[in-house]
Amino acid sequence: MQSLSGKKIAILATHGYEQSELEVPLNDLRDAGAEVHVVSLEEGEIKGWDKSDWGRAVPVDVTLSKADAGQYDALVLPGGQINPDLLRVEDSALDFVKAFWDAKKVVAAICHAPWLLAEAGIAKGRKLTSYKSIRTDMINAGADWQDAEVVTDQGLITSRNPGDLKAFVAKIAEEINEGRHERRAA
């Protein structure tokens, strides 16, 4: 993976994130030299979902109310069914996602996390993928849904499931190193 030394990345999540979809990007992006913060609605820890039961917790580095999108180079949105469903009804979470998008920064979403892209109005007119069970949701939100391990559209990175994590994280590093996507338009 490309070096991310000097880069700062936010991972927005809450309880019920898919364990591997938060931990793999967190660890791999840190190993590549990035400063990575877990951003959540509350202080303390958030607990993951691991296949069929609650998983491990991760510490929250910054609460959403104190997080500043301007301080980060990219945003990663892990999936799971619970996590993005809880976040997509929080105006502050949607505003945070939109702030990255409006600043033409990298936004990466996997599995069910594209629900946040749809709710934030970002999915419309974009090539993306997601977990297969929300394909129709993405199409109804105006996305050009594709079945591929990673789909990139002007700094918007999406993947389907934990099996795609290696490609997903590698593409995040590549897109961050490309910089802002100034020509982004729907």
Side-chain angles (χ1 to χ4, degrees):
M1 185 181 343
Q2 298 179 22
S3 171
L4 292 170
S5 182
K7 301 298 183 182
K8 198 169 175 183
I9 302 167
I11 298 179
L12 177 62
T14 192
H15 298 288
Y17 58 86
E18 177 66 36
Q19 196 79 47
S20 62
E21 293 173 359
L22 187 145
E23 288 181 347
V24 170
L26 176 68
N27 295 328
D28 289 359
L29 296 169
R30 282 182 176 165
D31 288 348
E35 181 180 346
V36 185
H37 292 164
V38 174
V39 178
S40 192
L41 301 170
E42 56 194 50
E43 293 178 335
E45 293 181 332
I46 52 174
K47 196 168 220 180
W49 187 263
D50 196 4
K51 296 177 184 74
S52 61
D53 203 353
W54 291 102
R56 294 175 297 281
V58 296
V60 173
D61 298 301
V62 181
T63 59
L64 185 56
S65 63
K66 294 179 182 170
D68 177 3
Q71 301 299 309
Y72 296 96
D73 298 292
L75 174 63
V76 177
L77 302 168
Q81 293 173 329
I82 301 167
N83 165 63
D85 197 38
L86 292 173
L87 290 173
R88 69 180 172 159
V89 297
E90 295 290 336
D91 289 339
S92 60
L94 298 175
D95 291 344
F96 194 63
V97 173
K98 286 183 216 175
F100 279 87
W101 184 251
D102 292 346
K104 299 175 177 28
K105 295 181 180 183
V106 171
V107 175
I110 187 167
C111 192
H112 288 73
W115 269 337
L116 287 159
L117 304 177
E119 202 64 39
I122 295 168
K124 186 175 184 177
R126 294 279 154 216
K127 292 179 205 164
L128 58 76
T129 194
S130 65
Y131 193 71
K132 62 186 175 185
S133 69
I134 67 166
R135 174 182 181 258
T136 302
D137 295 344
M138 296 302 101
I139 292 168
N140 287 341
D144 175 6
W145 191 90
Q146 301 177 1
D147 186 13
E149 71 178 353
V150 65
V151 175
T152 308
D153 187 342
Q154 293 293 310
L156 179 65
I157 304 162
T158 52
S159 284
R160 302 169 299 192
N161 58 56
D164 299 337
L165 278 166
K166 184 175 180 179
F168 181 66
V169 176
K171 186 55 83 170
I172 292 168
E174 179 185 323
E175 291 291 309
I176 289 171
N177 282 317
E178 282 183 11
R180 293 188 188 207
H181 290 77
E182 300 297 337
R183 294 172 25 118
R184 183 183 287 164

